Amino acid sequence: RYYNLKLSDLQGKKRTQSIAFPRQVCMFLARRHTRCSLEEIGHYFGGRDHTTVLHGVRTIDRSMKVDRDVAQQVNLLDAQITE
């Protein structure tokens, strides 16, 4: 809801920045809040490879360290998940 996307967008094949970034955030949060393996997370997000999930998680982790806006977005979503 935060990024105004449908679940089908996050699970689909489109790789536009407006979809890829939120998908990576979701992968990052899924990795943080579940015990799912990279393979399981990738399967949920449209059958993506575990290396794609790892890339997404690392990308968001790095972005959070250098971009305050990204950190605020992810922290806000993280707080909403844990409420």
Side-chain angles (χ1 to χ4, degrees):
R1 283 181 267 149
Y2 182 83
Y3 293 107
N4 199 29
L5 294 172
K6 299 177 201 164
L7 181 59
S8 60
D9 292 329
L10 296 174
Q11 294 175 327
K13 297 294 181 191
K14 287 187 181 179
R15 297 189 310 180
T16 61
Q17 182 65 17
S18 62
I19 295 174
F21 177 75
R23 183 184 295 132
Q24 289 176 332
V25 171
C26 290
M27 290 176 180
F28 176 86
L29 292 171
R31 185 69 173 157
R32 178 181 279 182
H33 290 284
T34 69
R35 293 179 185 224
C36 294
S37 67
L38 296 172
E39 292 84 6
E40 291 169 321
I41 294 169
H43 178 72
Y44 182 79
F45 285 96
R48 285 173 168 72
D49 190 74
H50 73 280
T51 58
T52 302
V53 177
L54 185 59
H55 172 74
V57 169
R58 287 179 174 169
T59 297
I60 296 303
D61 189 47
R62 279 191 303 268
S63 295
M64 288 176 66
K65 292 176 183 172
V66 298
D67 188 334
R68 184 175 273 166
D69 291 335
V70 172
Q72 287 177 339
Q73 287 177 30
V74 174
N75 289 331
L76 174 69
L77 290 168
D78 191 41
Q80 289 177 353
I81 289 169
T82 56
E83 286 182 349

